[in-house]
Amino acid sequence: MSFRELLGKELLFFDGATGTMLQALGLQPGELPELWNFTHAEKVQSVHEAYLNNGSNIIKSNTFGANRLKFKGTDVTVDAVVGAALKIGKAACAGREKAFVALNLGPTGKLLAPYGDLPFEEAVDIYGEMVRSGAKHGADLILIETMSDTYEIKAAILAAKENSDLPIIVTLTFDEDGKLLTGADVLSAVAMVEGLGVDAVGFNCGLGPKQMGKLLPQLLAACSLPVVLNPNAGLPVQRDGQTVFDVGADDFADMMRDLVPLGISVVGGCCGTTPAHIKALIEKCRGLQPGGKRDCQLTVVSSYGRAVVIDRDPVIIGERINPTGKPRLKQAILDGDLDYICRLGLEQLDNDAHILDVNVGVPGIDEAATAAKTVLALQAITSAPLQIDTSDYETMERALRLYNGKPLLNSVSGKDEALEKVLPLAKKYGAVVVGLALDDTGIPETAAGRLAVAAKIIDRAAASGIEKRNIIIDPLALTISTGPDNASVDLEVIRALAAQNVKTIMGVSNISFGLPARDAANSTFFALALEAGLSCAIINPQSKPMLDAYYAFRALKGLDEGCKAYVKRFADGGAKTQPPAVSEYTLYDAITKGLQEQSRQAVTKLLASEKPLDIINGHMIPALDFVGNGFEKKSLFLPQLLMSADAAKAAFDVIRDRMAEGGAVEKGAAVIIATVKGDIHDIGKNIVKVLLENYGYNVIDLGKDVPVEAVVEAVAAHQAHIVGLSALMTTTVGAMEATIKALRDTCKDRDCKIVVGGAVLTQDYADSIGADHYAPNAVSAVAYVNGILEK
C-alpha cells in the first residue's frame, strides 16, 4: 500500500533524531550532516536501519539543510546531495513492508521579504529544486519540518505541489505559548497549511511531549487533516561535555501513549529521540487506532499572525481601500503612494475593523503588480487578514500567491466563466471565497433566484474540492431608491442561507445609494441584516452610526460578555471615530506602526526645533522600547518588531545625515555577533543586529558559519566587550561551546560578556556552556547589551 492509502487508516511511526545519532557516530560540531551522504554513507544508512529495525515506517532523508544556500561557493550540487540521501534511504527500506522515505525539507535559514532579504519566489525556487530532485530519486513523500515562519511554509508547500504529486506532511515548531517565530498561533498557521492542500499537519522540535500535549487540543480543533506529532526527547542539557535530552525512552513512550488516543495518526521523534525511544513508543502504542480526519467546520481567514473565525459573532471588513468614489485614494494608487494606503488601513484597524478589503482597480495601471505591492506593504505593517477584491484573474492569482496566510477572495459569481477561472485559484491557494448572487442573466430580482445562484456556486465549488465552509455568499445589496423590496429580498436571502449554515457577506452601504442622510438608512439596515444572520459586513468602520449599531447588536445578542466592549466604546459619553482624512503621525507613532516614510517626514519636522540627540532619546528610544516590551509580552510579533526597527532606521538616517553636516557623528560601542561554525541559519542574528544598530551600537556582523578563530580575532581587533552567538541546530551547539571556551582563554585581560540564543538552547544549557546571558529572543539580547554597556 502507498503512504496515502495508509495515512489515517493505521497508526504510522516516524523515526527519530538523525542529527543526534550522527553525532554519536562521530559527526563533529559544525560539520555539515548532508555531506555524510558522500563520506559516511554506511553510517547514515545504519541510522536509518536502526529505526526501521525497531518498527519505524517512515525515515527522514538526510537532506534537512540540502538547499543551495548552504552549498553556495562549493562544487556540491543539491541534486547530488539529495540523490545520495535518497539512495541511502531506499537501500535501508529495501525488502521491508510499509517502509517509506520522506524527502526532508528544513528551513532555509533566511527570513523572507519584506521582513528579511529572501524574496518569496526565490524561496519557492530553492525548495522546488530540492523537490524535483527528491521526486526523481524516488522519495515516497515530502516532510516539510521545523518550520517557524508561515511565509516560508507556504513557499515550501507551493514548491512541493508544483514540482511533484507526492504526499506532503508539514510539521511546525511552536514555542510553549503556541506561537511561531513570526507570530502565528496554531489556528492561523494550520488554517493556511490545510488550505494549501497538504496531506497531514503537526508539530515537531522545540518542545517535548509534555509541552506539545498542551498545544495538541488547539491543533485538533483547527483542522480536519490527520495529525503528526514528532517531539524532542525533552529539552537539551549538558552532561560531561555532551548535549543530551532529559526524557528517557520509557518516559517518552508513556507520555506519547497518553496523547495518541486524542487523535494522532503519525508519531515519532525529533531531537534526542534514539531508536530506543522509538522502540518503546511503538511497543506502548501497538494496537492503538489513528485519529484520521475529523469534521472541522471552522471558516477561518488568517494572516501571518492573526486568525479571524467567521461564525456567530459578526466580522467587520473595512471598505476604504477601494478607489470607487475616492479621488484621493485613486491618485495615491496611480502615484504608487503605498504610505497613504497603509495609513488608510491602519486607521480602519484602529476603529475596530477585523479584515481589510483591498481593491486597487484603477484604469491605466498594471493592476496585478499594484495589488501585489499593496498586499506586501499592508502585510508588512499589520497582522490583520486581508480581503483581495478584484475581478481581474491575473490580479487574483498574483495577490493570492504572495499573500501570507489564508486569504479572503472577493469574488466569484455564478457566471460559468468566473466559476471556471476563479475556483481553481481559490482551491490552489486555499482561499475563503466570496460568491456573488448573480449569473449570466444578471442579479435575480427574487430571493429564490439569488438562492439558486448561491446553490450553483456552492455545488461547483464542491466539485472543485472547496468545502461549503470556505464559501461566503453575498446577496448583493441594491439601493432601495430603485426598488422598495430590495432590502427585504436581501434579508430573506441572509435568513435562508443562515438556516443552511452558509456564511454571508454584504457591502451594506449600497442599500442607500442615491439617498440623503445615508448613515441613517445604512445603520438601520445593518442592524436588520445582523439580526437576519449576516456573517461579515463590508463597511466604513469610521462611521459612528454603523459601529454604534454593531456594538449595540453584539450586546443585545449576548455576544459581548458582560457588555464589556459596549461599555468601553461608550464609557466617555461617545464612541471613538476619526475623520475620513488620513492623519499625519508623530515620530513615536510612525515608528511603533512601522511607517518608514512617515518616520522620515516626522523627524524632519522635529529637527527644525529639537536637537538630534534629544529626538533620539525623547522620541525614538521610547518608541523602540514600547515595541520591544510588546514583543516580550507577545502583544506584538516579529514582523511588527522588524518593521518598527526599519522605520526607526529611516528616521535615524535623516538624523545621521544632519549630524554629519556638522561633523558630529560618532560610532557607539562595538558588539560582535556571529552564527557559529557549521550553522547557516542567521535569522535570529540578523534581527539582533537590526535592533542593536537602532540603539546606536557599532555592530560587527561576522555572518554565518563563522570559525572560532574569526570570532576571537574580531573581539581583539575591535576591543569588544560584548559577543553574541547564535545556533539553530543541535549539531552546531558544540561549536558554540568551543567558541565560548576560546574567548574565555584569550580575553582574560578584560571583561567580555557572551550572549547566546537559538531555537535549540535553554537557560540551563546556556549556563552549562559558560554563556553570560541566554536570550530567548532578540529583545532580551538588546536589553542585556543595554544594561551591560550602560555600566
Side-chain angles (χ1 to χ4, degrees):
M1 295 180 72
S2 70
F3 175 78
R4 272 203 180 102
E5 292 171 325
L6 288 172
L7 179 62
K9 296 182 176 61
E10 68 177 67
L11 190 62
L12 298 174
F13 298 93
F14 261 111
D15 57 7
T18 300
T20 302
M21 293 293 291
L22 293 180
Q23 284 179 313
L25 293 173
L27 181 72
Q28 295 301 303
E31 192 176 0
L32 297 180
E34 295 81 8
L35 296 183
W36 272 39
N37 295 330
F38 305 123
T39 60
H40 298 81
E42 71 289 346
K43 291 186 177 181
V44 176
Q45 184 168 331
S46 73
V47 171
H48 292 327
E49 290 174 344
Y51 286 111
L52 291 165
N53 291 340
N54 282 290
S56 291
N57 303 109
I58 313 161
I59 56 170
K60 311 178 193 87
S61 64
N62 187 29
T63 56
F64 179 83
N67 63 71
R68 63 179 181 240
L69 298 179
K70 177 172 281 192
F71 305 119
K72 186 176 181 179
T74 73
D75 58 359
V76 177
T77 67
V78 169
D79 187 62
V81 174
V82 172
L86 267 295
K87 181 179 179 181
I88 294 167
K90 300 295 280 187
C93 290
R96 303 176 191 264
E97 292 186 4
K98 300 177 184 178
F100 307 99
V101 183
L103 174 67
N104 190 5
L105 307 182
T108 60
K110 291 287 187 180
L111 198 60
L112 273 64
Y115 317 114
D117 58 3
L118 181 62
F120 178 78
E121 291 296 350
E122 185 177 344
V124 175
D125 191 55
I126 287 169
Y127 284 114
E129 183 179 20
M130 299 171 72
V131 170
R132 289 190 295 275
S133 182
K136 179 177 74 173
H137 293 291
D140 298 300
L141 65 144
I142 295 170
L143 172 65
I144 301 168
E145 70 161 348
T146 321
M147 287 289 180
S148 58
D149 175 2
T150 53
Y151 214 22
E152 186 168 37
I153 295 166
K154 181 172 182 175
I157 294 172
L158 289 178
K161 295 185 75 68
E162 291 173 353
N163 291 280
S164 80
D165 58 359
L166 294 172
I168 303 167
I169 293 176
V170 176
T171 54
L172 307 102
T173 301
F174 288 92
D175 64 19
E176 289 193 58
D177 294 317
K179 296 290 186 182
L180 296 183
L181 172 69
T182 50
D185 59 13
V186 174
L187 178 58
S188 58
V190 171
M192 183 199 77
V193 169
E194 180 174 19
L196 288 170
V198 306
D199 295 87
V201 64
F203 301 148
N204 86 292
C205 204
L207 304 173
K210 180 179 179 181
Q211 296 84 4
M212 281 191 185
K214 294 177 181 178
L215 301 179
L216 183 57
Q218 297 179 50
L219 174 58
L220 292 168
C223 72
S224 60
L225 296 175
V227 166
V228 181
L229 212 60
N230 287 337
N232 291 347
L235 301 175
V237 295
Q238 187 83 348
R239 291 197 190 119
D240 301 324
Q242 298 293 320
T243 302
V244 297
F245 289 79
D246 61 1
V247 176
D250 287 338
D251 289 340
F252 179 85
D254 286 338
M255 287 187 274
M256 294 294 283
R257 169 64 179 80
D258 293 337
L259 297 177
V260 168
L262 299 178
I264 309 302
S265 293
V266 188
V267 284
C270 200
C271 299
T273 52
T274 66
H277 285 81
I278 302 305
K279 179 181 179 181
L281 167 67
I282 293 171
E283 288 176 350
K284 293 195 177 183
C285 292
R286 186 174 288 116
L288 295 180
Q289 295 302 305
K293 289 194 171 186
R294 292 162 309 289
D295 183 21
C296 178
Q297 290 302 315
L298 291 180
T299 300
V300 182
V301 177
S302 73
S303 67
Y304 69 81
R306 190 185 307 175
V308 173
V309 177
I310 299 172
D311 197 13
R312 289 182 61 241
D313 205 342
V315 170
I316 300 297
I317 301 175
E319 69 179 8
R320 293 188 61 211
I321 305 177
N322 185 322
T324 303
K326 304 182 184 74
R328 175 66 183 88
L329 174 59
K330 181 179 179 180
Q331 191 60 48
I333 293 171
L334 290 170
D335 294 342
D337 186 355
L338 295 174
D339 186 76
Y340 178 87
I341 296 172
C342 286
R343 284 184 286 151
L344 205 60
L346 289 172
E347 287 192 354
Q348 294 180 89
L349 296 173
D350 287 343
N351 282 273
D352 302 332
H354 305 112
I355 297 171
L356 295 176
D357 182 77
V358 181
N359 184 318
V360 293
V362 173
I365 66 165
D366 182 340
E367 186 182 348
T370 302
K373 292 176 183 177
T374 303
V375 165
L376 290 175
L378 285 165
Q379 289 210 295
I381 52 92
T382 176
S383 62
L386 305 180
Q387 174 175 261
I388 296 164
D389 184 358
T390 181
S391 58
D392 180 75
Y393 304 133
E394 182 185 356
T395 300
M396 283 184 189
E397 174 146 31
R398 189 88 165 270
L400 288 171
R401 187 173 182 85
L402 291 176
Y403 183 80
N404 188 356
K406 182 180 176 68
L408 180 58
L409 175 62
N410 188 1
S411 56
V412 66
S413 70
K415 296 179 179 180
D416 289 332
E417 179 191 353
L419 292 166
E420 291 169 4
K421 295 283 189 178
V422 177
L423 292 179
L425 294 177
K427 173 62 177 174
K428 177 176 180 177
Y429 296 108
V432 175
V433 64
V434 173
L436 305 181
L438 66 89
D439 58 16
D440 292 293
T441 64
I443 302 174
E445 293 183 0
T446 66
R450 296 186 202 183
L451 289 169
V453 175
K456 176 183 178 181
I457 293 171
I458 292 168
D459 289 344
R460 290 284 293 272
S464 297
I466 301 172
E467 298 175 73
K468 185 172 76 171
R469 63 175 168 139
N470 288 320
I471 298 290
I472 306 178
I473 298 296
D474 186 345
L476 296 172
L478 301 180
T479 177
I480 54 175
S481 65
T482 62
D485 295 330
N486 282 342
S488 60
V489 168
D490 283 322
L491 297 175
E492 185 179 347
V493 173
I494 292 169
R495 290 190 191 98
L497 292 172
Q500 300 171 35
N501 196 30
V502 175
K503 307 300 189 299
T504 51
I505 187 171
M506 187 188 297
V508 176
S509 61
N510 293 337
I511 205 72
S512 67
F513 187 77
L515 295 176
R518 294 184 65 186
D519 269 347
N522 291 344
S523 58
T524 303
F525 178 63
F526 185 28
L528 292 171
L530 291 174
E531 174 57 23
L534 182 67
S535 310
C536 307
I538 306 173
I539 66 171
N540 177 5
Q542 290 166 255
S543 166
K544 182 179 185 300
M546 296 294 277
L547 265 289
D548 286 353
Y550 171 76
Y551 279 97
F553 172 82
R554 292 186 72 252
L556 291 166
K557 291 293 287 186
L559 299 171
D560 179 6
E561 185 179 354
C563 298
K564 293 176 183 176
Y566 181 88
V567 171
K568 181 180 179 182
R569 180 170 178 83
F570 296 100
D572 297 326
K576 64 176 181 178
T577 53
Q578 289 184 339
V582 175
S583 60
E584 298 293 327
Y585 287 109
T586 66
L587 179 57
Y588 179 93
D589 287 339
I591 290 173
T592 58
K593 293 178 182 295
L595 296 170
Q596 295 183 44
E597 185 56 35
Q598 283 290 294
S599 292
R600 293 186 189 96
Q601 293 177 14
V603 78
T604 300
K605 289 181 180 179
L606 286 172
L607 282 167
S609 58
E610 297 187 32
K611 296 179 180 179
L613 290 178
D614 290 340
I615 294 173
I616 292 171
N617 292 324
H619 300 270
M620 295 177 61
I621 297 301
L624 289 169
D625 287 344
F626 171 82
V627 175
N629 289 334
F631 182 79
E632 293 245 286
K633 295 174 182 176
K634 299 195 174 180
S635 58
L636 297 173
F637 301 103
L638 179 61
Q640 293 147 299
L641 181 74
L642 292 176
M643 297 315 294
S644 292
D646 283 347
K649 183 178 184 299
F652 186 76
D653 287 345
V654 175
I655 292 174
R656 183 192 58 201
D657 292 344
R658 180 67 59 85
M659 295 173 71
E661 293 172 5
V665 177
E666 293 183 6
K667 288 187 176 181
V671 180
I672 308 292
I673 60 172
T675 300
V676 298
K677 178 65 178 174
D679 205 318
I680 67 160
H681 300 87
D682 59 358
I683 291 174
K685 171 186 68 64
N686 292 343
I687 296 166
V688 171
K689 176 185 178 181
V690 169
L691 295 183
L692 286 172
E693 287 179 337
N694 275 292
Y695 279 87
Y697 296 112
N698 178 26
V699 182
I700 293 90
D701 181 4
L702 302 181
K704 59 196 176 186
D705 189 19
V706 180
V708 173
E709 301 77 19
V711 179
V712 173
E713 291 170 4
V715 170
H718 295 277
Q719 294 295 294
H721 292 277
I722 297 280
V723 177
L725 302 174
S726 71
L728 177 74
M729 303 166 63
T730 55
T731 54
T732 58
V733 289
M736 179 179 283
E737 183 181 11
T739 304
I740 293 173
K741 184 177 185 302
L743 287 170
R744 297 297 185 215
D745 290 341
T746 58
C747 295
K748 294 176 180 177
D749 58 332
R750 70 176 185 282
D751 190 19
C752 183
K753 300 296 185 182
I754 301 170
V755 185
V756 299
V760 295
L761 297 178
T762 63
Q763 181 66 62
D764 289 343
Y765 193 91
D767 292 342
S768 70
I769 61 176
D772 295 295
H773 179 72
Y774 163 62
N777 55 58
V779 172
S780 173
V782 173
Y784 178 76
V785 172
N786 285 340
I788 291 297
L789 294 182
E790 282 175 3
K791 297 177 182 178

